[in-house]
Amino acid sequence: MRQAFHELVLATRGRGLVDFTEAVDGWIAQNRFQNGLLTLHLRHTSASLLIQENADPDVRRDLDAFFERLVPDGDPFFCHTAEGADDMAAHVRTALTAVNLSLPLQNGRLALGTWQGIYLWEHRTRPHSRRITLHFIGE
Amino acid sequence: MRQAFHELVLATRGRGLVDFTEAVDGWIAQNRFQNGLLTLHLRHTSASLLIQENADPDVRRDLDAFFERLVPDGDPFFCHTAEGADDMAAHVRTALTAVNLSLPLQNGRLALGTWQGIYLWEHRTRPHSRRITLHFIGE
Amino acid sequence: MRQAFHELVLATRGRGLVDFTEAVDGWIAQNRFQNGLLTLHLRHTSASLLIQENADPDVRRDLDAFFERLVPDGDPFFCHTAEGADDMAAHVRTALTAVNLSLPLQNGRLALGTWQGIYLWEHRTRPHSRRITLHFIGE
């Protein structure tokens, strides 16, 4: 049994979903991990990690649009406004989703379904650099 | 320290919550796992895994009804409509909940509270067959 | 490779976010854990575990206020009302957030970002005693 850590740094272009499944698969392949548990943790409070459909891009468009309607930027209701109209909305969107993912790895392959991809969901409107810690335990 | 994998296949009857705590407990008992970490991953993007109250069935009814009001099927706002009026709503419901769960196991028992059950939440209106990967690491 | 378990019992003062990062760090330091995976599981269905901003208290105020608007207490829509007007709202809030967290630990430090704290989110209006199971696997 062994453990390994890695940090991915992803540049976002502002609000939207970024598929980084390939970067995760690359780290697994490079280390020849076979069976174990992969944990991903995003070190930010205004973006999320999400497993979602990787086929029709309209799904990502609709997800983002739904969240913009559910949690409007610049809602007069919010007190925390010092960092811009999209900041508190980004914190709420993060609370409604997740910053950790746990994925079993079997025979060198993540237990993802055919249509599942791993996404970073940027909730701020401006581009950001986002850090994700990867941890593997297994063989 | 050892690892084990298992796949559960659950048939749903359409939208609603299915308690599968017994199936998980059965796998643990059969393998005599004592102490460790159990991870569950659902291989789909239009259903969720959820830990919720296992006492009053009205809780499940209200959860489903709340989500139907929050994320209406056939919302004219959605672009992704090719797979039916409930499909994009199902993706949003999945984003608002989770597809992974992590549960400690101590002395052969999952660390669930008295009122907690493990549920598969089907978000599509028609019956589906859903696959869940179970991973155990421990002793 | 070793494992350890711990139970934290937190007293809440009613609805709101309680930062318990220090209690988690204390358990890690006391056991001299260096590298591994920490899992937290909340044994209740009307409260959540959340990683959120630990700087401006307005963020916690706005989060709670947003959820009160999104999931109103005493919504006439709910059937499950026997335990009070805030009970079913609390179950929905739990479904929209999470009861498990998974955090890598590297060189004795949790992989939390600079602005991330670990919170217990009480969703009931009255004070409660909440139990959280901690599990560590690693070195």
Side-chain angles (χ1 to χ4, degrees):
Chain A
M1 204 76 74
R2 64 169 163 149
Q3 298 191 85
F5 292 88
H6 186 57
E7 186 173 76
L8 285 178
V9 182
L10 300 183
T12 67
R13 301 183 185 187
R15 192 164 280 174
L17 289 142
V18 180
D19 187 337
F20 67 101
T21 317
E22 271 192 27
V24 176
D25 282 338
W27 184 60
I28 291 166
Q30 181 188 328
N31 288 277
R32 299 173 192 265
F33 299 139
Q34 286 300 305
N35 295 295
L37 179 66
L38 180 74
T39 303
L40 296 88
H41 175 73
L42 177 67
R43 303 170 73 124
H44 305 274
T45 61
S46 54
S48 309
L49 296 182
L50 192 76
I51 291 176
Q52 262 293 342
E53 209 207 71
N54 57 11
D56 182 359
D58 278 348
V59 171
R60 273 100 78 191
R61 180 252 160 229
D62 284 351
L63 277 174
D64 223 44
F66 181 89
F67 273 69
E68 290 195 0
R69 188 176 64 179
L70 184 67
V71 194
D73 288 337
D75 193 324
F77 186 74
F78 292 140
C79 296
H80 176 80
T81 55
E83 295 169 62
D86 62 322
D87 185 61
M88 190 60 222
H91 291 308
V92 173
R93 289 162 68 131
T94 300
L96 286 169
T97 51
V99 294
N100 307 148
L101 297 176
S102 300
L103 286 166
L105 180 86
Q106 193 172 12
N107 301 322
R109 292 175 63 97
L110 287 172
L112 291 171
T114 314
W115 309 110
Q116 288 183 319
I118 309 173
Y119 292 87
L120 168 64
W121 195 349
E122 176 61 71
H123 298 310
R124 301 300 306 270
T125 53
R126 290 198 178 174
H128 279 76
S129 174
R130 301 299 196 178
R131 295 188 299 146
I132 301 164
T133 300
L134 273 59
H135 170 260
F136 176 78
I137 184 166
E139 280 154 3
Chain B
M1 205 75 77
R2 62 168 164 150
Q3 298 191 85
F5 292 88
H6 187 57
E7 187 173 75
L8 285 178
V9 181
L10 299 182
T12 66
R13 300 183 186 188
R15 193 164 280 174
L17 289 141
V18 180
D19 186 339
F20 67 102
T21 317
E22 271 191 28
V24 176
D25 281 339
W27 184 59
I28 292 166
Q30 181 187 329
N31 289 278
R32 298 172 192 267
F33 299 138
Q34 286 301 305
N35 295 295
L37 180 66
L38 179 74
T39 303
L40 296 88
H41 175 73
L42 176 67
R43 304 171 72 125
H44 306 274
T45 60
S46 54
S48 308
L49 297 182
L50 190 77
I51 291 175
Q52 261 294 342
E53 211 208 69
N54 56 11
D56 182 359
D58 278 349
V59 171
R60 273 100 77 192
R61 179 253 161 229
D62 284 352
L63 276 173
D64 222 45
F66 181 89
F67 272 69
E68 289 195 0
R69 188 176 63 179
L70 184 67
V71 193
D73 289 337
D75 193 325
F77 186 75
F78 291 140
C79 296
H80 175 80
T81 55
E83 294 169 62
D86 62 323
D87 185 62
M88 190 59 222
H91 291 308
V92 173
R93 290 162 68 131
T94 301
L96 286 168
T97 51
V99 294
N100 307 149
L101 297 175
S102 300
L103 287 166
L105 180 86
Q106 193 172 12
N107 302 321
R109 291 175 64 96
L110 288 172
L112 291 171
T114 314
W115 310 110
Q116 288 184 320
I118 310 173
Y119 291 88
L120 168 65
W121 196 348
E122 176 61 69
H123 298 311
R124 301 299 308 269
T125 53
R126 291 200 177 170
H128 278 76
S129 173
R130 301 300 195 176
R131 294 188 299 147
I132 301 164
T133 300
L134 273 59
H135 171 259
F136 176 78
I137 185 166
E139 279 154 4
Chain C
M1 203 75 77
R2 63 168 163 150
Q3 298 190 84
F5 292 88
H6 186 57
E7 187 174 75
L8 286 178
V9 181
L10 300 182
T12 66
R13 301 182 186 187
R15 193 164 280 172
L17 290 141
V18 179
D19 187 337
F20 67 101
T21 316
E22 271 191 29
V24 175
D25 282 339
W27 184 60
I28 291 166
Q30 182 188 328
N31 289 278
R32 300 172 192 265
F33 299 140
Q34 286 300 306
N35 294 295
L37 179 66
L38 180 74
T39 303
L40 296 88
H41 175 72
L42 176 67
R43 302 170 72 124
H44 306 274
T45 61
S46 54
S48 309
L49 296 182
L50 191 76
I51 291 175
Q52 261 294 341
E53 211 209 68
N54 56 10
D56 182 359
D58 278 349
V59 171
R60 272 100 77 191
R61 180 251 161 231
D62 284 351
L63 277 174
D64 223 44
F66 181 89
F67 272 69
E68 290 195 0
R69 188 176 63 180
L70 184 67
V71 193
D73 289 336
D75 193 325
F77 186 74
F78 292 141
C79 296
H80 175 80
T81 55
E83 294 170 61
D86 62 322
D87 185 63
M88 190 59 222
H91 291 308
V92 172
R93 290 163 68 132
T94 300
L96 286 168
T97 50
V99 294
N100 307 150
L101 297 175
S102 300
L103 287 166
L105 180 86
Q106 193 172 13
N107 301 322
R109 292 175 62 96
L110 287 172
L112 291 171
T114 314
W115 310 109
Q116 288 184 320
I118 310 174
Y119 290 89
L120 168 64
W121 196 349
E122 176 61 70
H123 298 311
R124 300 301 305 270
T125 52
R126 291 197 177 174
H128 279 76
S129 173
R130 301 300 196 177
R131 295 188 299 148
I132 301 164
T133 300
L134 273 59
H135 171 259
F136 176 78
I137 185 167
E139 280 155 3

